[in-house]
Amino acid sequence: MANLEVRKPTDEQNTVITSPEKVFTVIAAAGAGKTFVLVERYLRHVEEERLGPDQILTITFTKKAAAEMKERIVGRLRAKGLYDHAQVAETGPIQTIHSFCERLLRENSLEAGLDPQFEIMSEAQSTRLTVECVREALASSLEDEPEAEGLMRYLAGKRHGFGDNKSPYGILETAVERVLQELRSSPFDRESVTRWYANATSLRAFWEDRVRAEVPEKALALFDADGSADLNTRTQLSCKAAGVPVPAWAKGKIDLVAEDEAVRHTCGLVQLACAAWWRMDREMLRRQSLDFAALEIRAERLLKRSEVTRQRLRNQYLVVMVDESQDVNPIQYQLLNLLGSERIMMVGDAQQSIYGFRQADVRLFKQRSEATSTKRLAKNWRSVPGILNFVDLVFSRLWGPDYKPMNLNTGPMDFDADEQTSFEGVEIWRQGPKDTRTTARFIQQLIERENVSRSDIAVLVRDSMGALAIQQSLTDAGIPNRIAGGSEKFYTRLEVRDLANTLRALADPYDDFSMLAMLRSPMVGLTLDSITLLGLNSPVIEQLATFEPPLVEDIPRLSAFLAWYSPLRQHADRLSAWEVLSEIFAKSDYLPALARRNRADHLLANARKLLTLAAQEPELGPLEFAERIREIQDLRHKEGDAPADDDAADLVKIMTIHKAKGLEWPVVVIPQTDKRLSGRARDVVVEPSLGLVATKFSKGQALMHKMLTEKRKRLDDEEEKRVLYVALTRAKSRLCICLSPVTSVPTVSKLIAGVIDPAQMPGVKIRE
């Protein structure tokens, strides 16, 4: 149950809660109490303005945030004796953006062209459909799209230079998938994209329009002085003639042959993506099953073309409140605008925008902040003053005057004044690159020497590889831990593979590999000696009834196995996968065998999670579900492990920074500061907000690829700093930053070392 303790709002918070303005934006710093403010303003609408909870549309961007918001609001309404309102709020429009889209489409299904009982795809289902449609597009005849056919021939003739040990076909498939995913989440429809990339002539015209938009305004009037020159030359000449700096992406020379190739290759790539896009739309309509991107697209199109629906929503929702507005993508932003609400409050923080990989565009929030009345929640109430001083100092130097300090006890701080500022609560852990053992040793010191509770510690990593590395070191040090939200390696876990092999062996007993793998696994547990003898003769299934194990301990194991396997195999092919798994769990010794292993709680939780996933697809038989698992493994689909304990368990939490957003812990450890900040240059660059795609499959440099690469690097660098800001602001009383020796590679360690010297900061503790 959320904390329902009623506290008095600060003057800063009260200004937002009681504001009479109808349309405004709230910029809320980390730990500034924005959820408290949202709840209190919601209550004000209900109590003072007599609005019903069904008239207040409250949108968040995660299920967890929506659940927390609803719990707080319902609890506060009940505490005030407003039980009828609490009941309405419990089932009312306090929801994620995707839940809102789903509700909108179901309530207007006829106008949206959907069955009101349409389904929502899981991420795994969406991934599978994407791959199926991409492969179908690559395999189809492309006689009307010579650029696509030409790209396929060009890559088929390549032998070197692609990296990642992928075949040219694999490179093309991956590129098409990426372009498809990003363009589907862009503000542009498939018809427009198809038109822009129809052929080399249309693409050149489209690129020219986009280049013009990037040329400095003073130079634009001179851009056509030499209309016969290429875009790069025209950009350089116009800027020089206007006396303005030449943009970085336009400096130097461009290989015109490579430019021509890039135009043709880019056309071909996007044509393939659009062909797969068309197939996805067709298949989703046929199945009446939508993924999240399709939910947003269809909801936005419904509102765009239906004045009746827009008017009904305006009459239904008299107030709109949007949380985490910095994470809105272009389609979601258009959707919110189409609501046409006369009373809307959007709350967010550009400094915490870290979901660019989901097409969240922080520029939209900044533009709205400039276009509407703006209020601030600047004071951080989460962290101790020393941590706030540290974060304020680092980011006032990284972001300059754009940064808004969070420690406002005595007004804006002057860090260069003679009076010393304390940074107590901050620790710098000196260690080598990728030295997770030292990180674990320092965490052990906190626990054993300083009596810090394990459950108070969170280790915030950048990626799943970092999570697995620190987990191994903590486990080796004997420190109980858990990767919160899973390591996204679920489908490759041995227990999942064991169960998949068992399903195959039941559906097809003559599959020797699956049979032997099952017999060796904890499902049966035969020794390697028995497995070797059984493997000498095929088929294995025909030997089992008369097989005499060489080791005595295998005799009861084989007997117990045959007792449940033989009757189950007789009808397994007529059951669904979840029914077969249920029988396996009930009649075999598999779950007891897992319970005797290390980390038994995690193994058992994953086994039960697989049963749950199978139950979600009851139409799949055991062999089909086993094949589905293998396919997902090949696609490297990310699925987190099942939670094996609750959040209050006494163990160290490991979590990615992105998943930690909105959370807090007494002690936060930040490793992986030696990780390179920006990735390597890509052969394919996409800027969804502009509908732009550019390729570099040949050696030469093309202007559009150069421009988009430079733009993407700038955006990525800005987001990396925001990721660091989010990580540093999760700590309440102790912030521990692992710093590695600085090299020429851009890293967090280098970023921090460039603006501060921890040794000269009073109160900072240094461990070495």
Side-chain angles (χ1 to χ4, degrees), residues 441-484:
R441 177 164 57 85
F442 288 156
I443 291 174
Q444 194 168 33
Q445 290 177 9
L446 291 179
I447 297 168
E448 296 180 355
R449 298 181 187 177
E450 302 179 37
N451 295 319
V452 175
S453 172
R454 291 190 292 262
S455 60
D456 285 345
I457 302 174
V459 184
L460 304 185
V461 297
R462 290 305 312 274
D463 50 36
S464 58
M465 293 301 293
L468 292 170
I470 191 65
Q471 181 181 55
Q472 186 61 56
S473 292
L474 289 172
T475 301
D476 291 345
I479 302 172
N481 63 84
R482 172 166 68 90
I483 299 178

Side-chain angles (χ1 to χ4, degrees), residues 351 354 390-391 394-395 398-399 462 657 670 673 677 718-730 735 737 747-749 751-752:
Q351 295 175 168
I354 61 173
F390 179 84
V391 177
V394 169
F395 284 95
L398 285 177
W399 284 333
R462 290 305 312 274
I657 297 170
I670 313 290
T673 58
L677 287 179
E718 291 170 358
E719 184 157 305
E720 289 286 359
K721 293 175 184 176
R722 297 195 293 269
V723 170
L724 176 61
Y725 174 82
V726 168
L728 298 185
T729 53
R730 301 307 96 197
L735 174 63
I737 307 169
T747 63
V748 167
S749 289
L751 202 64
I752 292 177

Side-chain angles (χ1 to χ4, degrees), residues 421-440:
T421 300
S422 173
F423 300 95
E424 189 171 353
V426 178
E427 294 190 10
I428 300 298
W429 295 359
R430 302 286 189 188
Q431 58 187 60
K434 299 181 180 179
D435 187 6
T436 55
R437 291 187 178 278
T438 296
T439 305

Side-chain angles (χ1 to χ4, degrees), residues 413-671:
M413 301 185 66
D414 181 1
F415 294 104
D416 296 321
D418 292 337
E419 183 179 347
Q420 288 189 328
T421 300
S422 173
F423 300 95
E424 189 171 353
V426 178
E427 294 190 10
I428 300 298
W429 295 359
R430 302 286 189 188
Q431 58 187 60
K434 299 181 180 179
D435 187 6
T436 55
R437 291 187 178 278
T438 296
T439 305
R441 177 164 57 85
F442 288 156
I443 291 174
Q444 194 168 33
Q445 290 177 9
L446 291 179
I447 297 168
E448 296 180 355
R449 298 181 187 177
E450 302 179 37
N451 295 319
V452 175
S453 172
R454 291 190 292 262
S455 60
D456 285 345
I457 302 174
V459 184
L460 304 185
V461 297
R462 290 305 312 274
D463 50 36
S464 58
M465 293 301 293
L468 292 170
I470 191 65
Q471 181 181 55
Q472 186 61 56
S473 292
L474 289 172
T475 301
D476 291 345
I479 302 172
N481 63 84
R482 172 166 68 90
I483 299 178
S487 64
E488 300 182 337
K489 300 289 184 181
F490 175 76
Y491 286 108
T492 63
R493 295 300 188 197
L494 285 176
E495 57 272 21
V496 173
R497 294 184 186 183
D498 291 343
L499 289 166
N501 285 327
T502 303
L503 290 174
R504 283 197 194 93
L506 280 163
D508 180 10
Y510 288 86
D511 180 345
D512 282 351
F513 176 84
S514 297
M515 178 65 71
L516 290 171
M518 174 189 64
L519 292 171
R520 177 60 177 155
S521 76
M523 185 67 65
V524 183
L526 295 187
T527 62
L528 193 56
D529 290 16
S530 291
I531 297 297
T532 302
L533 288 176
L534 285 168
L536 292 176
N537 297 295
S538 182
V540 174
I541 183 63
E542 295 183 0
Q543 304 177 57
L544 292 180
T546 58
F547 180 69
E548 296 183 4
L551 299 178
V552 67
E553 59 262 35
D554 281 347
I555 296 174
R557 295 171 184 166
L558 185 59
S559 177
F561 162 69
L562 290 173
W564 66 263
Y565 174 83
S566 296
L568 182 55
R569 65 170 278 208
Q570 302 301 321
H571 59 277
D573 59 344
R574 298 190 295 277
L575 299 176
S576 62
W578 76 267
E579 291 174 308
V580 175
L581 286 172
S582 297
E583 289 286 305
I584 292 170
F585 290 168
K587 296 179 179 178
S588 77
D589 291 328
Y590 186 63
L591 294 183
L594 290 184
R596 293 190 291 270
R597 296 202 157 203
N598 291 332
R599 301 181 74 243
D601 49 352
H602 293 272
L603 303 180
L604 291 167
N606 281 340
R608 293 190 181 105
K609 177 172 181 175
L610 190 67
L611 175 61
T612 301
L613 291 172
Q616 293 172 3
E617 299 187 88
E619 73 281 4
L620 296 182
L623 187 58
E624 293 171 303
F625 189 65
E627 284 302 304
R628 180 66 52 82
I629 294 171
R630 181 194 60 77
E631 182 181 272
I632 292 173
Q633 290 170 350
D634 290 344
L635 296 177
R636 298 182 181 180
H637 170 69
K638 295 180 178 180
E639 177 75 38
D641 289 345
D645 38 55
D646 59 49
D647 289 335
D650 187 24
L651 38 73
V652 174
K653 307 293 191 305
I654 306 169
M655 185 181 292
T656 64
I657 297 170
H658 286 86
K659 289 179 180 176
K661 189 170 176 294
L663 304 178
E664 60 185 35
W665 294 270
V667 181
V668 168
V669 179
I670 313 290

